[in-house]
């Protein structure tokens, strides 16, 4: 059974930084493309970032380009999302997700999901 556990969320002031972590267990981490998504109340789940199995290829949502960086450590079975220059509109529950095959931005393409971690950015 594949499990994903996010951590690192919390309150932060606008302009600040946070780093989210996602530890994967029960599967073969190095074969998964990893993605980060977010969802705020009343809104659909939004693609944030994705990384290929070896982190050579990455994708970013338009709203986070230049501010967020996805990375992974296959030895630690962990994916990261470094978030800089945070804005109040980044407030959301952040989810990590895993899928076999190529990285993609569509949430429906991901098989495994974490429980989410709340990020709250105050102005």
């Amino acid at each position: 059974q594949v499990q994903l556990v996010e951590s690192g969320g919390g309150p932060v002031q606008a302009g600040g930084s946070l780093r989210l972590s996602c530890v994967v267990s029960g599967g073969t981490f190095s074969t998964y493309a990893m993605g980060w998504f977010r969802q705020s109340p009343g809104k659909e789940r939004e693609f944030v970032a994705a990384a290929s199995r070896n982190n050579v290829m990455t994708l970013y949502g338009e709203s986070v380009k230049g501010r967020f960086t996805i990375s992974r450590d296959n030895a630690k079975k962990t994916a990261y999302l470094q978030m800089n220059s945070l804005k109040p509109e980044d407030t959301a529950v952040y989810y990590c997700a895993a899928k076999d095959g190529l990285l993609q931005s569509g949430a429906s393409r991901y098989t495994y999901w974490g429980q989410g971690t709340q990020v709250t950015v105050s102005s």
Side-chain angles (χ1 to χ4, degrees), residues 24-46:
V24 179
S25 61
T28 307
F29 181 77
S30 60
T31 67
Y32 299 142
M34 297 298 298
W36 286 94
F37 296 81
R38 66 187 183 186
Q39 190 167 20
S40 50
K43 294 187 177 181
E44 293 187 354
R45 192 163 293 190
E46 178 188 8

Side-chain angles (χ1 to χ4, degrees), residues 1-94:
Q1 183 179 0
V2 179
Q3 291 187 320
L4 286 69
V5 179
E6 303 98 334
S7 62
V12 63
Q13 289 191 332
S17 299
L18 283 176
R19 188 175 82 154
L20 306 183
S21 300
C22 174
V23 178
V24 179
S25 61
T28 307
F29 181 77
S30 60
T31 67
Y32 299 142
M34 297 298 298
W36 286 94
F37 296 81
R38 66 187 183 186
Q39 190 167 20
S40 50
K43 294 187 177 181
E44 293 187 354
R45 192 163 293 190
E46 178 188 8
F47 169 71
V48 175
S52 62
R53 290 172 289 182
N54 54 11
N55 210 44
V56 171
M57 295 182 61
T58 56
L59 289 174
Y60 293 94
E62 286 297 323
S63 61
V64 306
K65 278 184 180 178
R67 299 189 297 124
F68 290 11
T69 302
I70 187 172
S71 62
R72 62 191 293 162
D73 185 331
N74 285 356
K76 294 183 178 180
K77 299 182 180 181
T78 303
Y80 304 97
L81 185 68
Q82 177 67 43
M83 306 186 295
N84 298 328
S85 302
L86 282 161
K87 304 174 181 179
E89 50 264 43
D90 294 319
T91 295
V93 177
Y94 283 72

